[in-house]
Amino acid sequence: MKTFTLAILPLALISAFSHAAEEKAAEQAEVDTVYVTAEKQLQQSLGVSRISKDDIDKRPAVNDISEFVRTMPGVNLTGNTATGQRGNKRQIDLRGMGPENTLILIDGKPVNSRQSERISMRGERNTRGDSNWVPVEEIESITVLRGPAATRYGSGAMGGVVNIVTKKVSKEFKGQVNLYANQPQDSKEGATRRIGFNLSGPIIQDTLGFRIYGNLNKTDADAADINAGHGNDSAAGVEGVRNKDIAGRLQWKISPAQTLILDSSYSRQGNIYNGDTQNSNPPARDKVALYNGLVNSKAETARLYRSAFSLTHDGAWEWGDTKNVISYERTVNSHLPEGLAGGPEGSYTGLDFVQSRLKNLRFSSEANIPFKLGVDNVLTVGAEFTDSKLDDPASNTQGFTDQKKTDVFDGISATRGGKASQRNWAAYVEDNISLTDKTHLIPAIRFDHNSDSGSNWSPALNFSHQIGENWLVKGGIARAYKAPNLYQTNPDFILYTRGQGCPIDAPNSVRCYYMGNGNLKPETSINKEIGLEFNKNGWQASATYFHNAYRNKIVIGDQLIATSNIGNWLLQWENTPKATISGIEGNLVIPLHDTLKWSNNFTYMHKSEDYQGNPLSLVPKHTLNSTLSWIPNDRFDANLTFTHYGRTKPRGVAINRLERDGNPGAGITPLTSEHNQTQVGSYGIWGINAGYNWNKRVAVRGGVSNLFNKKLYRTTAGAQTYNEHGRAFYGSLKVSF
C-alpha cells in the first residue's frame, strides 16, 4: 500500500495543480515551452543518436527500422544470447548488452509483444523483436539512447532505448502513397514488395484532426538450401515475412493549452518458413515429412497479432506542463507447437497452431515544473503503473515421462497451468539544473516495485560542461535494472534436456529438468560514460568511453534443487555473478563542400564477457559506418555508404555437456576453445543510392545494397550464425497529394 501511495502521489499533485489553473489555461494563448526538461537535456548526451525522416528516406529499409538503426554507434544486430541459436532472427543490440536489454518505444510508449514468445533454455526467443510494428514510411524520427541517459525508462533499458516517433497530425489535408521493391541478385535470397498509404488533416479546423496509415509488406523466404555446401547443409537462411498494418489517430485541441490524442493500431506479422529450427539441426526421422511439407508450401509457422490503444492528455499550465497516458497492448502469438525437450528444443512438432496471449495495461503521469532556486531548475516528477498478464498453456505442457520412465518430484505436478502475471509500480524524480550557461547537472532517482522481484532503486547523475566556444564534455553514471520475465519467474514453466543440456558436472546417467524461479533478483547494471564533443563551422567530432558493470544476469542454473525417484535432476533459472562491457564510440562529420558532407561513426568493443569468459553478444570487435552525401539542389541527392565490421569473437567456454562433448550426428563440434569455433573475419559492405523529387508530389529513389556482393553464409558453428545477403537492387516511389 505504501508503494502504491508513492506511485500515485505525482498524479494527485498534477490533478490539484491542473484544477487550480484550468480557468486561466482555457483563456490563455497557445503556450510555447521555452524551458528545457531533464529528458530533453539528456537527449543531448553523447550516447544519443537521432535518425530523421530525411535519413530514413535516403536509406530505405527492406523490412523494419533495425536495418538503419544498426548504422548508429554502439548498435548491432544479434540474437538474445551469444549462442546464435536463432541465427538470422537478429534484433537491435545496444552496446553489447543483448536485445532483451533494449527497450523499444512507439511515441514514448513501451512495446512488449516479443514477451509473448517462449524463452528457451539458452535464453533465445523465436522472434524478430519489436522493431517492425510501424511501417518505415510512417516514421517521423527515431531516437536511440544508450548508457545512463536511458535509465529513466525503467526495466528493460539497461542497454538503451529506441524511441520510434510516428508522423504528426497535419494542419491541412494531405496524403501519400508509397511503393517499395527490393530484388536480390541471387535468386535464393528473398525479394520484397511493399505498398502503403497515409492520410492526415483537419476534421474541424484548429480543433479536431486525424491521421490514418496502412501498409502491406511481403518478403519471400530464402531458399531452404541457401547455405548448402558452406559448412552446414542444414542451416537455413532468413525466413520470409507477411506484414499488415493499419493505424489511426484523433487529435482534439481542447484549448490552446490542452490536447487530447487517441491512438489505435492493429498489425499482423507472419513468418514464412524456410527450414529453420532453434539449433538448425536436421529434424527427427519422424518429422522429416512435416518439415519438407512446410518448406515446399512456403507456409507460415507463426502469426503475431498486435492491437494497441492509448489516450494521451498534454497540458500546459502557468506552473509547467503535464502528460498523462493510458495505454493497452494485446498480443496474440499464434504458432506451430514447439518441442520443450532437447533433441532439439524448439523444433516444430505438429501442424495445429497453438496460442499465447499477452496483455499489458499501463498508466503514466508526468509533470515538468520550472523554478528558480538560486539557479534555473526544471523539476520532473512522474509515476507509472503496469499490469502484464500472460497466458501460454502450450509452453507449460512438458511432462515427466520419457522412454517409458516417469520422473516424480515432490510437490511438482505433471499438469500445470499457463497463466502468469506481473505488476510494476514506479515513481521517479529528476532535475535539470542550469548551474551556469555552460554547465548543466541532471540528478535523478527512480523507484520500482515489481510484484515478482521486489523493489529497486535506480539513481543517476548526468552532466555537461561547455569549454570555450567549440568543446563540450559530457558524462553520466546510473544504475539500471531489468525485472525477470514472465517465463523465468513461473514455476509452472518447465523445460527438459535429455542429458546433453545438463551441467558439466552432472553424471552421464542424469537427465535434467529446468523450471521457473519465483525468487529471482532483478538484473542490474552500473552504466558509466564520459566523452568530449567538438563543433565548429559544420565540423563535428565526438568520442565517448562507456563501461557497464552487469550483475545478476538470469540464466539456466547449475544448482541442484531436487532429485526425482529415478535419479534425474531438477534445476531452475538463477542469478549469476558479474559481467563486464566496455568500449568507445565516436562520430566525425566533415563538410567537404556546401553540397558535399562526409559522416562517420565508429564503435570499438573493448570488453564483453560474462562471469565464465564468454561474450554476452555476438558483436564485432569494431564497427565503422561512413556516408558520403551529395545534395547539389533541393530536388536531387546521392549517397555512397560503407560499413566495416571487425572480427566477431565466438563463445569459447562450455557451460553444459552438449557444448563440452559436441554432437557429431547434428554437426556440433566440442566447444573446447574459441579457436575451435568459426570466427567471422573483418568485412565491408558498400551501398549507393540516389533520389529525385520530380515535383512537389512525386519522389523516386533507387539504389544498390552490398554493391560488391560480399556474402556470408551461415554455418551455426561459433560466431557465423547468420547470413549476410549479397547484392540487391531497390527502388521506391512516393506520390503525395
Side-chain angles (χ1 to χ4, degrees):
M1 186 66 184
K2 184 178 179 181
T3 303
F4 182 74
T5 302
L6 178 63
I8 66 171
L9 180 59
L11 296 172
L13 292 172
I14 292 167
S15 178
F17 278 124
S18 300
H19 181 74
E22 187 172 358
E23 291 185 2
K24 290 184 179 180
E27 299 174 356
Q28 73 182 53
E30 185 165 353
V31 177
D32 294 322
T33 303
V34 294
Y35 52 87
V36 179
T37 65
E39 181 181 22
K40 292 178 180 178
Q41 187 67 36
L42 285 172
Q43 291 186 6
Q44 307 303 314
S45 302
L46 293 177
V48 176
S49 302
R50 291 185 194 286
I51 304 171
S52 68
K53 177 182 174 298
D54 288 341
D55 296 329
I56 298 171
D57 288 343
K58 291 176 182 179
R59 199 166 183 169
V62 178
N63 275 308
D64 65 76
I65 66 165
S66 63
E67 299 168 41
F68 42 76
V69 170
R70 74 180 297 193
T71 65
M72 298 295 104
V75 184
N76 277 285
L77 301 183
T78 66
N80 290 79
T81 70
T83 64
Q85 288 175 302
R86 289 295 181 184
N88 285 300
K89 289 190 174 179
R90 297 192 295 165
Q91 305 170 55
I92 297 172
D93 184 341
L94 301 181
R95 290 183 172 174
M97 293 288 285
E100 291 284 302
N101 288 310
T102 299
L103 182 63
I104 307 295
L105 310 175
I106 297 177
D107 292 324
K109 297 177 283 289
V111 186
N112 298 287
S113 293
R114 58 183 153 161
Q115 304 295 324
S116 67
E117 183 64 43
R118 176 184 68 85
I119 195 164
S120 75
M121 280 184 264
R122 305 292 295 278
E124 298 279 351
R125 296 184 194 264
N126 189 11
T127 176
R128 297 172 180 266
D130 287 317
S131 58
N132 53 351
W133 294 117
V134 180
V136 292
E137 290 84 5
E138 308 308 324
I139 297 174
E140 184 67 28
S141 65
I142 301 171
T143 302
V144 182
L145 296 92
R146 306 174 295 279
T151 57
R152 78 183 311 267
Y153 297 95
S155 179
M158 285 201 299
V161 170
V162 177
N163 185 27
I164 304 166
V165 179
T166 61
K167 292 181 177 179
K168 298 181 174 19
V169 173
S170 176
K171 292 184 178 182
E172 58 185 32
F173 185 82
K174 61 174 62 175
Q176 191 174 80
V177 176
N178 309 294
L179 301 174
Y180 174 87
N182 181 291
Q183 182 60 55
Q185 181 174 298
D186 188 344
S187 61
K188 291 189 175 184
E189 298 173 358
T192 296
R193 303 292 184 269
R194 182 169 67 245
I195 182 172
F197 77 93
N198 63 69
L199 293 171
S200 182
I203 299 174
I204 302 174
Q205 193 66 48
D206 300 326
T207 301
L208 185 65
F210 80 100
R211 184 209 66 194
I212 185 171
Y213 67 73
N215 176 73
L216 293 173
N217 178 84
K218 181 182 179 183
T219 298
D220 297 325
D222 289 348
D225 63 346
I226 190 172
N227 293 308
H230 297 281
N232 190 331
D233 290 355
S234 66
V238 181
E239 289 190 349
V241 295
R242 293 189 183 100
N243 294 345
K244 300 177 182 178
D245 306 278
I246 187 77
R249 170 177 289 180
L250 281 176
Q251 181 172 292
W252 179 23
K253 197 76 170 177
I254 303 173
S255 74
Q258 297 187 63
T259 304
L260 199 64
I261 300 173
L262 175 64
D263 282 307
S264 176
S265 65
Y266 173 81
S267 295
R268 182 224 190 250
Q269 296 179 7
N271 286 346
I272 305 173
Y273 188 65
N274 67 343
D276 205 5
T277 70
Q278 182 167 346
N279 296 305
S280 287
N281 292 340
R285 292 180 181 177
D286 62 337
K287 297 292 188 281
V288 171
L290 183 152
Y291 278 64
N292 288 340
L294 290 171
V295 171
N296 294 332
S297 65
K298 296 181 173 57
E300 289 184 333
T301 55
R303 299 160 187 154
L304 213 62
Y305 306 91
R306 178 180 181 269
S307 304
F309 310 90
S310 68
L311 184 65
T312 302
H313 177 268
D314 290 319
W317 318 96
E318 290 185 334
W319 49 267
D321 63 71
T322 60
K323 180 183 288 291
N324 298 282
V325 182
I326 302 173
S327 61
Y328 176 75
E329 178 188 45
R330 181 176 183 267
T331 303
V332 177
N333 183 357
S334 181
H335 58 90
L336 295 182
E338 295 180 345
L340 303 175
E345 175 211 357
S347 296
Y348 297 121
T349 59
L351 295 174
D352 295 326
F353 277 67
V354 296
Q355 290 184 342
S356 67
R357 292 177 172 85
L358 178 66
K359 299 177 182 178
N360 286 284
L361 178 65
R362 179 175 179 267
F363 301 88
S364 68
S365 184
E366 184 177 282
N368 298 297
I369 307 168
F371 66 96
K372 195 174 186 68
L373 189 64
V375 295
D376 290 333
N377 294 253
V378 181
L379 181 70
T380 300
V381 294
E384 297 176 7
F385 170 76
T386 304
D387 184 21
S388 300
K389 291 182 171 64
L390 174 68
D391 186 7
D392 186 4
S395 294
N396 289 6
T397 59
Q398 177 60 47
F400 295 118
T401 299
D402 185 35
Q403 298 181 349
K404 300 181 179 181
K405 296 181 179 180
T406 300
D407 289 284
V408 178
F409 296 97
D410 291 341
I412 300 179
S413 173
T415 303
R416 301 173 305 281
K419 295 183 177 180
S421 63
Q422 280 185 4
R423 289 186 172 183
N424 195 87
W425 296 265
Y428 57 92
V429 180
E430 58 188 12
D431 192 11
N432 182 23
I433 306 172
S434 301
L435 295 177
T436 69
D437 291 342
K438 297 183 176 181
T439 305
H440 294 267
L441 194 66
I442 307 173
I445 189 165
R446 179 182 172 107
F447 173 80
D448 287 85
H449 180 78
N450 186 276
S451 57
D452 283 345
S453 57
S455 300
N456 179 82
W457 291 92
S458 298
L461 180 64
N462 291 269
F463 75 92
S464 66
H465 176 69
Q466 187 171 343
I467 304 172
E469 295 183 358
N470 309 120
W471 294 90
L472 195 66
V473 60
K474 299 180 179 180
I477 180 171
R479 186 179 189 269
Y481 98 108
K482 178 182 176 296
N485 64 55
L486 289 165
Y487 291 98
Q488 294 167 333
T489 59
N490 185 5
D492 287 341
F493 178 56
I494 294 179
L495 303 172
Y496 173 50
T497 171
R498 294 187 169 95
Q500 289 187 311
C502 288
I504 291 177
D505 61 352
N508 290 334
S509 60
V510 166
R511 304 184 176 203
C512 300
Y513 296 86
Y514 295 96
M515 67 182 295
N517 181 1
N519 296 315
L520 289 170
K521 299 177 182 178
E523 299 178 356
T524 62
S525 179
I526 304 297
N527 295 351
K528 309 172 189 175
E529 70 177 25
I530 184 111
L532 195 64
E533 183 179 70
F534 172 81
N535 285 278
K536 186 177 182 180
N537 298 331
W539 287 74
Q540 299 175 29
S542 69
T544 304
Y545 171 78
F546 62 89
H547 184 281
N548 297 347
Y550 197 175
R551 300 289 188 273
N552 292 326
K553 181 175 172 61
I554 299 172
V555 299
I556 286 293
D558 57 7
Q559 299 300 310
L560 178 64
I561 62 172
T563 303
S564 77
N565 59 315
I566 57 176
N568 289 328
W569 287 12
L570 179 66
L571 306 100
Q572 61 186 357
W573 295 86
E574 294 177 354
N575 296 105
T576 60
K578 65 181 181 179
T580 303
I581 302 94
S582 63
I584 299 174
E585 298 169 354
N587 290 276
L588 177 63
V589 178
I590 302 174
L592 300 174
H593 186 268
D594 291 343
T595 63
L596 195 63
K597 184 171 72 174
W598 186 23
S599 302
N600 307 270
N601 67 69
F602 73 90
T603 306
Y604 171 72
M605 296 295 298
H606 174 254
K607 191 173 185 179
S608 175
E609 288 185 357
D610 64 14
Y611 73 104
Q612 294 173 314
N614 284 318
L616 284 173
S617 294
L618 293 175
V619 298
K621 187 70 173 178
H622 61 270
T623 305
L624 170 67
N625 294 288
S626 185
T627 300
L628 185 65
S629 298
W630 181 44
I631 309 177
N633 52 56
D634 294 337
R635 302 181 67 176
F636 178 83
D637 69 271
N639 305 274
L640 179 66
T641 64
F642 174 71
T643 299
H644 177 80
Y645 301 104
R647 181 179 70 92
T648 300
K649 176 183 176 182
R651 291 163 50 81
V653 181
I655 64 171
N656 55 37
R657 294 204 305 240
L658 175 62
E659 291 186 341
R660 182 193 65 188
D661 303 332
N663 187 343
I668 300 176
T669 58
L671 185 59
T672 56
S673 79
E674 67 178 82
H675 300 292
N676 291 347
Q677 304 297 307
T678 303
Q679 300 189 30
V680 179
S682 299
Y683 67 99
I685 302 293
W686 292 84
I688 189 169
N689 68 75
Y692 183 70
N693 297 321
W694 201 269
N695 50 43
K696 292 183 178 181
R697 299 185 180 276
V698 180
V700 296
R701 180 166 295 275
V704 183
S705 59
N706 202 340
L707 185 63
F708 298 107
N709 203 29
K710 174 62 180 179
K711 301 175 70 172
L712 295 180
Y713 294 94
R714 182 183 180 192
T715 67
T716 76
Q720 190 48 66
T721 62
Y722 63 95
N723 285 80
E724 188 74 66
H725 279 168
R727 184 184 295 118
F729 305 90
Y730 61 88
S732 66
L733 170 66
K734 294 184 179 183
V735 180
S736 304
F737 55 89

